[in-house]
Amino acid sequence: MIAKKVLLVGNFGVGKTSLIRRFVLNEFSEEYISTIGVRVSSKIIKIDTEEIKLLIWDVAGTSADEKVPKAYFLGSSAAMFVFDLSREETYNNIKNQVDIVKQLSGLGTITVVGNKKDLVTFKEIEQLKKTISISIDLITSAKDDENVEDAFKELAKQSLN
Amino acid sequence: MEKTTVDHKDNRFELLKELLLADDRKDFNILRDEYLEREKFKVKVAPVVDEKIEDLKENFPKYFGKTITETIKIQIRDSQDEVVEALYPIMGKLVKKFIIAEITKLTESINQTINDKFSISQIIKRLFKGKRTDADDVLQEVFEPIIEEVFVINKDSGLLAGNYSRGNIADKDMVSGMLTAIKSFAKDSFSKDGQDIEDIKFENFQLSIQNFKTIYIAIATSGVISSDFEEELLDNINNLAEIILRDRSYLTDEEKLNSIIQKTLIKTE
Ligand SMILES: Nc1nc2c(ncn2[C@@H]2O[C@H](COP(=O)(O)OP(=O)(O)O)[C@@H](O)[C@H]2O)c(=O)[nH]1
Ligand SMILES: [Mg+2]
């Protein structure tokens, strides 16, 4: 089976850890992440007929945060940038942040995910899509388990390219 | 008795004076009154003022300390060099205090770093301990050294290429990833020249990490580790690395890699 390292990045509190929890369902102490700023989880996902083992790196803090060792971004096959649909400060600089992740990881494309769908209206999402400087790949809710599996599937697909 | 201006020279002079200086006298009277008023006021107020001054002398820090501290803080922040330069000759003591406080802070942060380092070994310990009990550890201690785990890990991605496991670590892939992250973290935070962690020891458990160009090999051992054992292990690891790096197909074929690990390092058949 092939294994791929994938990253989840995005501002504090956008729901990265919640998405991973929802997807992976194996609990792992939060201490680890606060000490070294990352937590690695694994999950096998099936894309068409192929099974892929995803090693998901949950990188705490923003990508621009100096505290996060640059090495965390190395050797990854895909990355998801998560923002919070209900908090503008998590996406008003999104293009820049995604570019930084691209630079650090060397990846050409980043899966952009707007989380906390349950906290905003359809209208607000439409409005947001118009104002945002980047296209959103998926709209999720870790809370209501909406599109979470799809988001990771997208990530897995990206990792195969 | 009636005053006559005719029969007394002095009186006349006084009269003349009165006539000529009437205006000045008026001014003088005003001044005098004002002065007397002030004197009266002073007598009344002085004790209060004295009291206030005494109070200020005693409680100055209480009344103004916060404001002054804030002001100094802002000043120092905005023009650190100038402020220190200006303050130093006048308030050498204060500056000294400030420097001591800074050094104390620094010391604390160094201690914090050491604590973090300690907690990293705690993390690694828990990662590797798997489901084994403390009783197992105690029994192990009297025995000869044993190789518990061998991980061959891709350096950048942290992906596990192959391994040997005596124990039962729940999620080897996760352990490889975490170990790689910890290595990067330690490299970034602790060492001056970007040196890697190589040995981590706690109790009767030891983790040795050997770095190669694209991979690293982590070996967890337990028991009493003699220098002979350590030397032999190091030789074997280098041999293993040589085999793998000469034939990269090992890195894509997990089974093949696992068996070569077993053959070069464990040798029990
Ligand atoms: N309403 C709502 N809350 C969410 C959602 N996802 C995460 N949260 C909450 O947002 C907070 C931060 O989530 P967390 O996963 O720790 O964010 P991280 O810092 O990106 O890892 C927590 O209180 C979560 O419960 C969601 O989809 N909807
Ligand atoms: Mg988190």
Side-chain angles (χ1 to χ4, degrees):
Chain A
M1 190 190 320
I2 48 166
K4 297 284 183 184
K5 170 180 175 177
V6 295
L7 295 173
L8 256 76
V9 287
N11 289 9
F12 178 77
V14 296
K16 300 180 292 295
T17 306
S18 303
L19 286 167
I20 296 168
R21 279 234 176 90
R22 181 59 83 184
F23 177 62
V24 173
L25 278 182
N26 65 356
E27 293 293 319
F28 196 61
S29 159
E30 275 294 326
E31 271 169 58
Y32 292 60
I33 205 165
S34 67
T35 309
I36 64 159
V38 72
R39 175 175 53 187
V40 182
S41 322
S42 72
K43 166 104 173 178
I44 294 165
I45 191 169
K46 213 170 168 183
I47 298 292
D48 302 324
T49 53
E50 190 160 21
E51 282 197 325
I52 305 165
K53 185 185 280 162
L54 290 184
L55 274 303
I56 308 161
W57 287 49
D58 177 1
V59 181
T62 62
S63 52
D65 195 334
E66 290 160 25
K67 268 183 154 177
V68 174
K70 289 199 171 75
Y72 287 2
F73 295 85
L74 298 175
S76 45
S77 302
M80 185 192 290
F81 186 92
V82 186
F83 68 92
D84 182 341
L85 292 163
S86 70
R87 272 165 56 222
E88 201 185 328
E89 69 263 30
T90 69
Y91 59 80
N92 57 14
N93 194 23
I94 192 162
K95 179 138 185 2
N96 235 331
Q97 287 177 293
V98 168
D99 281 345
I100 290 170
V101 178
K102 278 184 187 170
Q103 254 177 41
L104 291 173
S105 64
L107 294 166
T109 45
I110 308 282
T111 306
V112 176
V113 170
N115 186 42
K116 305 198 190 178
K117 179 177 185 261
D118 55 291
L119 297 183
V120 289
T121 63
F122 178 75
K123 247 187 173 171
E124 283 168 331
I125 293 174
E126 286 309 301
Q127 189 56 40
L128 191 153
K129 274 182 179 165
K130 274 183 218 154
T131 56
I132 209 164
S133 54
I134 203 166
S135 76
I136 306 167
D137 296 303
L138 281 129
I139 305 271
T140 60
S141 169
K143 189 173 179 230
D144 296 347
D145 197 3
E146 254 191 278
N147 283 340
V148 177
E149 180 96 22
D150 285 346
F152 282 96
K153 263 196 179 145
E154 182 57 37
L155 199 59
K157 272 187 206 154
Q158 288 281 354
S159 79
L160 293 175
N161 293 335
Chain B
M1 206 215 267
E2 244 197 353
K3 240 182 168 183
T4 54
T5 52
V6 188
D7 51 46
H8 222 292
K9 251 186 188 169
D10 281 351
N11 275 356
R12 263 179 292 155
F13 178 68
E14 279 299 317
L15 181 68
L16 184 65
K17 218 168 81 178
E18 222 162 278
L19 284 168
L20 287 173
L21 301 177
D23 276 356
D24 287 332
R25 185 173 295 271
K26 213 165 94 201
D27 284 349
F28 171 76
N29 283 340
I30 290 167
L31 274 176
R32 191 196 54 199
D33 288 351
E34 220 171 84
Y35 175 75
L36 287 178
E37 196 56 38
R38 258 193 230 180
E39 279 299 296
K40 263 195 269 169
F41 184 69
K42 208 162 116 186
V43 171
K44 265 193 240 160
V45 165
V48 182
V49 172
D50 282 347
E51 204 178 284
K52 217 52 205 165
I53 289 174
E54 275 311 310
D55 176 47
L56 269 183
K57 268 193 213 159
E58 227 168 86
N59 294 315
F60 190 83
K62 195 172 107 196
Y63 296 148
F64 297 105
K66 226 175 138 188
T67 319
I68 289 178
T69 310
E70 271 313 303
T71 313
I72 290 178
K73 260 192 209 158
I74 291 165
Q75 279 295 320
I76 289 179
R77 192 194 58 210
D78 290 352
S79 49
Q80 218 154 8
D81 292 347
E82 288 97 316
V83 170
V84 170
E85 224 167 81
L87 280 180
Y88 195 77
I90 315 159
M91 299 202 228
K93 261 191 193 161
L94 199 79
V95 174
K96 209 164 124 189
K97 238 184 183 172
F98 177 74
I99 291 170
I100 289 169
E102 285 303 303
I103 289 172
T104 312
K105 260 191 247 162
L106 189 70
T107 315
E108 274 164 12
S109 88
I110 289 170
N111 285 337
Q112 186 58 44
T113 309
I114 291 167
N115 285 339
D116 285 350
K117 203 170 187 173
F118 177 71
S119 79
I120 278 184
S121 48
Q122 287 300 317
I123 292 172
I124 292 175
K125 184 181 176 178
R126 281 167 51 192
L127 278 175
F128 278 87
K129 225 178 152 193
K131 291 199 178 86
R132 289 180 44 228
T133 63
D134 287 336
D136 287 339
D137 286 346
V138 172
L139 277 176
Q140 196 76 79
E141 217 151 358
V142 292
F143 294 117
E144 59 187 274
I146 285 177
I147 295 175
E148 298 279 352
E149 306 283 339
V150 180
F151 284 73
V152 177
I153 300 170
N154 286 293
K155 230 179 185 174
D156 284 348
S157 63
L159 295 174
L160 182 66
N163 87 307
Y164 159 82
S165 179
R166 185 174 167 267
N168 44 3
I169 288 176
D171 189 341
K172 290 171 201 126
D173 296 291
M174 183 273 293
V175 169
S176 309
M178 287 303 293
L179 189 61
T180 308
I182 291 166
K183 253 164 65 73
S184 305
F185 180 81
K187 198 172 172 178
D188 248 40
S189 338
F190 301 130
S191 51
K192 276 183 240 144
D193 42 15
Q195 211 187 325
D196 248 322
I197 42 167
E198 273 165 5
D199 280 310
I200 294 161
K201 289 183 193 182
F202 25 79
E203 293 152 25
N204 66 328
F205 179 94
Q206 181 176 332
L207 182 70
S208 305
I209 292 171
Q210 296 298 315
N211 290 291
F212 301 94
K213 193 155 172 52
T214 50
I215 57 165
Y216 71 93
I217 302 177
I219 309 100
T221 48
S222 64
V224 182
I225 295 148
S226 65
S227 56
D228 278 356
F229 176 82
E230 211 162 3
E231 222 167 272
E232 195 196 333
L233 181 62
L234 202 62
D235 272 353
N236 290 341
I237 291 167
N238 280 320
N239 288 338
L240 174 66
E242 212 179 307
I243 295 168
I244 298 170
L245 295 174
R246 278 219 181 118
D247 178 359
R248 299 295 169 111
S249 69
Y250 281 109
L251 292 174
T252 47
D253 187 340
E254 199 176 339
E255 264 173 48
K256 191 172 155 192
L257 181 55
N258 289 350
S259 77
I260 195 74
I261 292 170
Q262 177 95 26
K263 209 168 129 197
T264 41
L265 291 179
I266 315 301
K267 299 170 178 166
T268 49
E269 255 106 4

